[in-house]
Amino acid sequence: MSQAFEFPQGFLWGSATSAYQIEGSPLVDGAGPSIWHRFVRTPGMVHDGDTGDVACDHYRRYKDDVRLMRELGLKAYRFSVAWARILPEGKGRVNPGGLDFYDRLVDTLLENGIEPLLTLYHWDLPAALDDRGGWLNPDIAHWFAEYASVMYRRFDGRVKKWATLNEPWVVTDGGYLHGALAPGHRNRFEAPIATHHLLRAHGAAVQAYRAEGKHAIGLVVNLEPKYAASDSAEDRAAVRRADAYMNRQYLDPVFFGRYPDELEEIFGEAWPQWPAEDFELIRQPIDYVGFNYYTRSVTRHDEQAWPLKAAPVKQHATYTETGWEVFPQGLTDTLVWLRDRYGNPPVYITENGSAFYDPPVADGDTLDDPLRVDYLRKHLRAIHAAICMGCDVRGYMAWSLLDNLEWSLGFSKRFGIVHVDFQTQKRTPKRSARLYSRIVGSNGRAL
Ligand SMILES: OC[C@H]1NNC[C@@H](O)[C@@H]1O
């Protein structure tokens, strides 16, 4: 092992999942339906008609999965809570059965020396709130803060790292602009409204945490660095629009209390004006940034590309099964960008991983996944390089612990470092899991 890639002492090594993608049992023990429980039943919206009705059956198998994390030597586990298990109607009546499940999960993690990192919202809005307009209803900031407070009071003694939202950009772009994700709207007037209400909900939940919590709370964003396809003014302007829309649209309001100027250019008449007090709520200081990294985009001007007038340019490179270029340098570049633009905030890589075709499970207890091994090694080295440049990166959560439901792609794309046979629910660590275990155990020296 080399000292070349040793990470700082206390660097937090773990893995990540989300409720709807792995739990199954969506309506048991008093839970209410989520918008994904509905969306997967919309013909044609999810690959092969796959649903989260069973998924990885984690709701019932969580003890085995925690044992698997312990055997891999993981120190932390990032998971999300299904809001509709806690508040079946999204607000008002609290469901003891839902709280009890997450009690069991958190206690099992702690008994196994694994730190829980809890995300309050990972896309599975209670359907009852969607019936009231969901992220388009300004009252959702209060509904979300009410839900968050129920969770803080129950778990803050055991959970020390909270996140309000996972990837608000995906919620808005997928759920309200392009319609590929729940609730499946395609409306350029709704998208900025959903964005703003997501940010207000984030701020309200952080404000509630400051009144009730004693530890750390942050926001998880997906960031995708944009590189100009040429040095032309058109392509550089396209990069600015794409970067504003995907990367600065959420962090600028949180850190600066304002949206990037490019968004009014992008949305035009559909871009609302918001009252100043909203930004005072949104810009509540956070304790860390959760950064989900997968890929970059080489971007050119495209007059026909709605609404950004920007389009990706394919590269001569390795691409994952989800069509994402493998580009570890983008992770280093974006960490440096975060350091310089937002004052070097503490950052946890809350998701990073890759979907590649996995051959059928080999005999014995490991499945070979060379492309994912290569992706993992190169991206961890990219993080190490950023740390050496002074970026305050404090942890890494591999996406994902398990193969799971990749939203509208169903079970067709496998991100897990552990293979799941969805017929038998058998878990089989892949070679990437074995490597990751050695990296965790040596704090990076095995890289
Ligand atoms: O596409 C891979 C992952 N990206 N971030 C959000 C997760 O829910 C996805 O599975």
Side-chain angles (χ1 to χ4, degrees):
M1 290 186 186
S2 81
Q3 309 290 334
F5 295 107
E6 183 156 13
F7 279 66
Q9 284 310 308
F11 188 84
L12 193 61
W13 298 97
S15 65
T17 66
S18 88
Y20 190 73
Q21 293 181 269
I22 69 164
E23 287 180 357
S25 304
L27 301 179
V28 303
D29 297 335
S34 73
I35 54 174
W36 272 94
H37 183 72
R38 275 185 183 163
F39 191 70
V40 298
R41 285 160 174 77
T42 313
M45 295 315 288
V46 179
H47 172 82
D48 254 359
D50 291 339
T51 78
D53 289 355
V54 177
C56 305
D57 198 23
H58 179 74
Y59 187 84
R60 301 187 316 151
R61 298 168 186 266
Y62 69 93
K63 282 189 185 292
D64 295 339
D65 291 334
V66 173
R67 189 176 306 117
L68 189 55
M69 296 179 217
R70 190 193 63 209
E71 287 165 3
L72 292 172
L74 304 190
K75 315 291 187 194
Y77 175 56
R78 175 184 177 239
F79 64 97
S80 77
V81 169
W83 184 343
R85 291 194 193 280
I86 310 302
L87 293 155
E89 290 80 40
K91 61 193 185 76
R93 180 176 64 88
V94 174
N95 173 36
L99 287 170
D100 291 348
F101 167 65
Y102 293 106
D103 263 341
R104 296 195 296 273
L105 174 61
V106 166
D107 290 343
T108 304
L109 288 165
L110 295 173
E111 286 157 15
N112 284 274
I114 298 168
E115 180 178 357
L117 282 68
L118 191 155
T119 301
L120 288 165
Y121 185 70
H122 198 125
W123 306 0
D124 47 355
L125 185 72
L129 296 184
D130 195 47
D131 293 343
R132 297 168 178 266
W135 292 110
L136 301 175
N137 187 325
D139 291 343
I140 195 159
H142 309 301
W143 302 338
F144 187 60
E146 175 191 349
Y147 155 56
S149 294
V150 170
M151 296 302 292
Y152 301 153
R153 284 194 290 272
R154 183 77 167 232
F155 293 97
D156 194 48
R158 293 168 280 170
V159 172
K160 296 181 169 35
K161 291 181 182 67
W162 296 80
T164 55
L165 307 172
N166 180 76
E167 300 180 349
W169 178 85
V170 178
V171 177
T172 295
D173 184 77
Y176 291 90
L177 190 68
H178 292 293
L181 303 177
H185 298 191
R186 186 179 164 85
N187 185 316
R188 68 189 178 97
F189 286 84
E190 288 187 355
I193 293 168
T195 281
H196 194 69
H197 291 163
L198 280 157
L199 285 167
R200 287 179 60 248
H202 159 79
V206 172
Q207 193 172 61
Y209 191 70
R210 297 306 177 212
E212 303 187 55
K214 301 179 186 64
H215 305 292
I217 192 163
L219 173 67
V220 175
V221 290
N222 56 299
L223 300 173
E224 182 181 286
K226 312 294 180 183
Y227 300 79
S230 79
D231 198 32
S232 71
E234 266 197 340
D235 285 354
R236 283 186 282 113
V239 163
R240 279 197 302 276
R241 289 192 300 274
D243 178 61
Y245 176 62
M246 192 165 187
N247 300 323
R248 289 180 277 129
Q249 181 173 197
Y250 299 90
L251 290 178
D252 276 15
V254 170
F255 280 94
F256 304 146
R258 66 175 188 274
Y259 287 108
D261 295 338
E262 295 88 344
L263 287 171
E264 187 149 15
E265 175 193 347
I266 291 165
F267 284 99
E269 60 174 348
W271 184 252
Q273 299 304 317
W274 301 105
E277 60 265 23
D278 282 1
F279 295 97
E280 289 316 305
L281 178 66
I282 292 168
R283 66 184 305 179
Q284 302 285 322
I286 56 176
D287 301 303
Y288 71 89
V289 171
F291 168 19
N292 294 351
Y293 179 81
Y294 288 93
T295 189
R296 70 155 175 183
S297 172
V298 176
T299 301
R300 67 178 173 82
H301 177 84
D302 180 343
E303 194 61 29
Q304 309 307 316
W306 176 83
L308 292 178
K309 296 187 178 177
V313 177
K314 192 102 177 178
Q315 302 299 296
H316 294 291
T318 302
Y319 281 72
T320 70
E321 286 283 295
T322 46
W324 299 339
E325 182 189 355
V326 178
F327 192 72
Q329 184 60 41
L331 180 45
T332 307
D333 292 349
T334 310
L335 284 167
V336 171
W337 174 78
L338 281 167
R339 179 197 70 188
D340 295 345
R341 183 174 182 82
Y342 300 114
N344 203 15
V347 173
Y348 288 87
I349 304 297
T350 33
E351 289 181 28
N352 174 243
S354 54
F356 287 108
Y357 168 74
D358 288 327
V361 176
D363 295 340
D365 65 354
T366 293
L367 173 152
D368 194 10
D369 57 340
L371 293 173
R372 189 175 292 103
V373 164
D374 185 61
Y375 183 101
L376 175 65
R377 180 174 277 124
K378 285 178 177 170
H379 285 79
L380 288 175
R381 289 183 175 183
I383 295 168
H384 189 271
I387 291 172
C388 294
M389 297 161 79
C391 299
D392 187 3
V393 187
R394 301 198 178 173
Y396 177 89
M397 305 296 140
W399 185 271
S400 178
L401 173 71
L402 303 171
D403 291 335
N404 59 53
L405 184 79
E406 180 54 24
W407 305 110
S408 52
L409 298 175
F411 298 108
S412 67
K413 306 302 176 198
R414 292 177 175 268
F415 278 89
I417 59 174
V418 173
H419 177 276
V420 175
D421 179 328
F422 292 105
Q423 308 307 318
T424 65
Q425 290 298 341
K426 182 174 185 294
R427 276 73 162 140
T428 307
K430 303 176 189 176
R431 190 153 66 85
S432 54
R434 301 299 182 198
L435 169 65
Y436 189 50
S437 181
R438 292 197 305 276
I439 291 167
V440 171
S442 62
N443 197 29
R445 289 191 303 278
L447 263 175

